[in-house]
Amino acid sequence: MRIDKYLWCVRYYKTRSIATEACKKGRITVNGQEAKPSRDVFPSDKITLRKDQINYILTVLDIPENRVGAKLVDIYRKDETPAEAFAHLEMLKLSKEHYRTKGQGRPTKKDRRDIDDYTLDPEDNDTE
């Protein structure tokens, strides 16, 4: 089975075209070598892919016939991604919140309407 189809079947990518683009950009390696989208995958191959700032390490256990349900994915692959990679992603999320607290930045539509309703000019409120 092709690598792009395999990654789509085991639900690492939403569409085959996204998986193909990832292969073309060099984000996927099979057994330490960059993989073209048409490269065949066999059981016991090691796949490394970079997605969402995480380097996933997978071992192919079996080849699915079609796209499988989320509960059945573990039959076809073994995820060997270290837990530190996910912890690193959590730290990135927390560091982003540290620099820009929630609620700051561009006002929401409701904020803009509240600002429009509030007038600073006292002459506008006078009814003479």
Side-chain angles (χ1 to χ4, degrees), residues 12-13 22 27 48-57 81-96:
Y12 274 92
Y13 291 101
R27 295 184 181 145
T48 305
L49 65 107
R50 181 158 179 84
K51 181 181 173 194
D52 299 331
Q53 297 183 348
I54 296 177
N55 289 325
Y56 292 94
I57 302 167
T81 307
E84 296 88 41
F86 296 106
H88 178 69
L89 184 65
E90 288 297 320
M91 290 301 290
L92 281 174
K93 287 181 183 178
L94 291 174
S95 67
K96 287 180 184 177

Side-chain angles (χ1 to χ4, degrees), residues 31-76:
N31 297 329
Q33 298 176 345
E34 272 192 26
K36 292 183 179 179
S38 62
R39 187 186 193 290
D40 286 332
V41 178
F42 302 101
S44 77
D45 280 348
K46 290 253 187 208
I47 300 173
T48 305
L49 65 107
R50 181 158 179 84
K51 181 181 173 194
D52 299 331
Q53 297 183 348
I54 296 177
N55 289 325
Y56 292 94
I57 302 167
L58 313 172
T59 302
V60 179
L61 298 178
D62 197 10
I63 306 296
E65 291 292 321
N66 291 327
R67 188 169 167 99
V68 296
K71 293 181 180 179
L72 302 175
V73 168
D74 290 333
I75 297 171
Y76 299 102

Side-chain angles (χ1 to χ4, degrees), residues 63-122:
I63 306 296
E65 291 292 321
N66 291 327
R67 188 169 167 99
V68 296
K71 293 181 180 179
L72 302 175
V73 168
D74 290 333
I75 297 171
Y76 299 102
R77 60 104 175 122
K78 181 179 177 188
D79 192 359
E80 298 174 353
T81 307
E84 296 88 41
F86 296 106
H88 178 69
L89 184 65
E90 288 297 320
M91 290 301 290
L92 281 174
K93 287 181 183 178
L94 291 174
S95 67
K96 287 180 184 177
E97 289 178 6
H98 174 71
Y99 291 114
R100 181 174 178 257
T101 58
K102 193 169 181 105
Q104 288 182 343
R106 185 173 178 177
T108 63
K109 194 177 214 179
K110 183 182 181 309
D111 293 338
R112 181 185 55 79
R113 287 180 177 158
D114 290 342
I115 291 169
D116 288 345
D117 290 341
Y118 182 75
T119 58
L120 293 176
D121 195 9

